[in-house]
Amino acid sequence: MTMTTKKTTLLNTVEYGVDARYNSQEEKQNDAQLLMQARKDRMARTSEQDIMRAKLMQLKLQIDEYLNSAESDVQHQFTSFLNTYINTIYEKQQQFAQDLDITPVSLSQILNNHREPKEEFFKKLMIHSERIFKAIKGFHKQSWYQVYYRDKINETMAHQDEWREELEKKIKFPAFS
Amino acid sequence: MNIIEVATSQSHLIEIAPVQKSDFKNLPVNRYFFDWNEEASFEIFKLTIKGKDDILGLISFERIPDEMRIHVRLLTASVENVGAAKIYDRIIGNLLAYVAKLAVRDFGEWACISLRPKTQIAQHYIDKYKMNITGVTLSLEVPEIFELIELYDHDN
C-alpha cells in the first residue's frame, strides 16, 4: 500500500480524529445559536443532583489547579474555596455552621479572614467534605489543609520586604557559610 | 490517566501538556494528519507517555467563555495508533476527557465541549462518547460529561 493510499484509508476510518474547524464566522455563529438553545433545553431537564455534582467537581478541579500551579501572588484561596463549598451546598452559611457545630460568628470571621481556623475546624471540615465529595472521584480531604498552607507560603513570600530585614539582623551563620 | 498497549494490554501513565514552539518541527502531516502550524494561534495539547517525548496524540481547541463551552478544532492520534494495527488504545478518549475537565473547571454545571465532525464519523462519537447532536454539532454536557471524565481520569 502506498503512503497516499494508506493515509486516505486512515482518513476514512473513524479513529484518526476530527477536523471540526468552522469554515466561516457565519457557520460558527449559526451553530452557536442552535447549540445554546439545545443546551438550555437540556439544562432545564438536568437534575439538581447533577448540577451540584458539577459544581463540586468544578471546585475540586479549581483546588487541584491551585495546588499544582506555580503562581505565588494569589492569596486567601482557602476562604474563597470554602465560601464556594458552603454556597454550593447550603442556602445559608448559618446552616453550615450548625452542621459543623461552630458558631455563625466564628465561621463568619474565618470566611472574612479575621480569624485563623483552628485544628478542630479543619478536622470537622475534612469529615464533612469527605461525605459531600463522595461522588467526585479524586477529591482528597487533606486538600483543605494543603490550600491553607499554600496560602500561608504565598503570603509569607509576598511580604518578604516587611519581615526579612528585621529577622536577618537576629540570625547568626556558621563561619563556613 | 493512562493508555493501553494493545499487544500486551499493559497500561502506561500519560501526560497531557501544551505543545511548545519547539514541538512544531516534529509534527509532520504524514504522522499527525493535519498541518498543526495552522493551529498555532489556538491552544494545542499533546499526549505523551509519562517520561517520554514521543507525541502520540494532539488536540487543538478554542475556549468560548461567552458560550461557556470549549470547541474542539482538531483531534488526532499519531498514524501508528490508528486502525486495527494500532499500538496504543485510548488516546482520543484521553484527549477529549482532558478538555472536558477544563470545561468543568471553567464552566461548572454549564460545562460543554463541542465538535463538528464529518457526517460519516459523527455516529462513532455519539455511540462511543454519548455525545448529543444539535444540527451538525456534537456536544457533551452535564451529566454525560461526567462519564467521559470518570472513564479516563484515573491512573490505573
Side-chain angles (χ1 to χ4, degrees):
Chain A
M1 193 186 286
T2 65
M3 192 65 206
T4 316
T5 320
K6 188 180 176 192
K7 197 181 155 207
T8 311
T9 310
L10 289 171
L11 283 169
N12 288 328
T13 71
V14 292
E15 290 175 314
Y16 87 95
V18 174
D19 179 354
R21 292 174 289 193
Y22 291 107
N23 294 315
S24 67
Q25 197 59 26
E26 191 188 354
E27 192 178 82
K28 185 179 176 183
Q29 281 170 355
N30 288 343
D31 275 14
Q33 280 178 0
L34 273 175
L35 181 60
M36 184 50 87
Q37 191 50 54
R39 287 172 62 200
K40 283 178 180 169
D41 293 344
R42 287 196 280 268
M43 179 58 88
R45 297 192 299 270
T46 305
S47 70
E48 284 296 319
Q49 200 181 357
D50 282 333
I51 289 173
M52 184 177 287
R53 189 175 169 198
K55 288 179 177 175
L56 288 171
M57 191 182 278
Q58 179 179 33
L59 177 59
K60 182 248 172 205
L61 292 169
Q62 288 175 346
I63 289 174
D64 287 350
E65 188 196 20
Y66 178 57
L67 292 175
N68 293 326
S69 78
E71 260 189 284
S72 59
D73 56 348
V74 189
Q75 290 178 31
H76 303 309
Q77 283 301 102
F78 173 74
T79 45
S80 168
F81 289 141
L82 182 58
N83 244 312
T84 304
Y85 178 68
I86 297 168
N87 294 334
T88 300
I89 308 161
Y90 295 92
E91 284 188 11
K92 290 180 181 170
Q93 286 180 2
Q94 205 174 348
Q95 292 170 302
F96 177 69
Q98 275 173 8
D99 284 358
L100 246 63
D101 192 26
I102 58 172
T103 66
V105 174
S106 64
L107 176 62
S108 170
Q109 287 174 331
I110 290 169
L111 289 171
N112 291 307
N113 300 300
H114 294 149
R115 172 194 281 217
E116 294 292 317
K118 290 181 179 167
E119 188 86 13
E120 188 177 306
F121 177 81
F122 277 107
K123 288 174 179 167
K124 286 177 172 176
L125 180 58
M126 285 200 293
I127 293 168
H128 190 271
S129 55
E130 194 174 31
R131 177 83 65 92
I132 297 295
F133 276 95
K134 208 172 171 182
I136 312 296
K137 227 163 141 181
F139 174 79
H140 304 293
K141 56 183 183 291
Q142 66 269 29
S143 299
W144 294 113
Y145 261 124
Q146 290 168 327
V147 170
Y148 178 78
Y149 284 110
R150 176 69 188 271
D151 278 355
K152 286 283 162 209
I153 294 167
N154 286 356
E155 196 182 324
T156 304
M157 301 317 284
H159 296 105
Q160 283 193 71
D161 54 332
E162 292 168 21
W163 53 263
R164 192 176 180 98
E165 200 180 333
E166 191 60 30
L167 289 180
E168 270 181 340
K169 289 177 198 162
K170 296 179 182 173
I171 297 172
K172 294 183 179 67
F173 299 97
F176 65 82
S177 62
Chain B
M1 299 174 100
N2 61 39
I3 54 174
I4 305 293
E5 193 170 351
V6 177
T8 60
S9 300
Q10 195 187 341
S11 167
H12 297 268
L13 289 179
I14 56 153
E15 279 177 339
I16 297 177
V19 162
Q20 304 298 311
K21 269 186 187 167
S22 57
D23 289 320
F24 281 102
K25 62 181 185 296
N26 299 319
L27 302 177
V29 176
N30 61 7
R31 191 170 176 214
Y32 300 102
F33 297 100
F34 305 109
D35 180 358
W36 289 87
N37 289 294
E38 288 177 4
E39 295 298 288
S41 59
F42 294 93
E43 291 182 75
I44 313 177
F45 279 68
K46 59 184 176 183
L47 183 151
T48 55
I49 289 178
K50 219 166 188 172
K52 294 188 176 176
D53 294 329
D54 191 33
I55 296 171
L56 304 177
L58 290 159
I59 189 166
S60 69
F61 56 87
E62 180 184 3
R63 295 183 209 228
I64 312 177
D66 290 349
E67 298 171 32
M68 294 174 286
R69 75 174 159 122
I70 298 179
H71 184 72
V72 174
R73 291 172 52 83
L74 291 181
L75 169 65
T76 195
S78 55
V79 70
E80 71 281 5
N81 290 302
V82 169
K86 66 181 157 189
I87 301 170
Y88 296 106
D89 197 16
R90 290 167 60 93
I91 292 170
I92 297 290
N94 271 296
L95 288 166
L96 279 175
Y98 185 84
V99 175
K101 277 172 67 180
L102 294 180
V104 173
R105 189 199 67 192
D106 289 355
F107 308 125
E109 70 271 34
W110 279 99
C112 172
I113 60 168
S114 61
L115 49 90
R116 206 173 188 278
K118 305 288 174 281
T119 327
Q120 66 270 30
I121 60 170
Q123 195 57 46
H124 169 75
Y125 282 83
I126 294 169
D127 296 341
K128 185 156 186 179
Y129 304 109
K130 297 189 179 168
M131 290 189 130
N132 292 305
I133 184 158
T134 307
V136 289
T137 305
L138 299 184
S139 63
L140 256 188
E141 296 101 2
V142 171
E144 292 85 3
I145 204 167
F146 298 144
E147 288 181 46
L148 177 72
I149 293 171
E150 290 190 349
L151 194 59
Y152 289 94
D153 189 25
H154 57 81
D155 290 343
N156 47 27

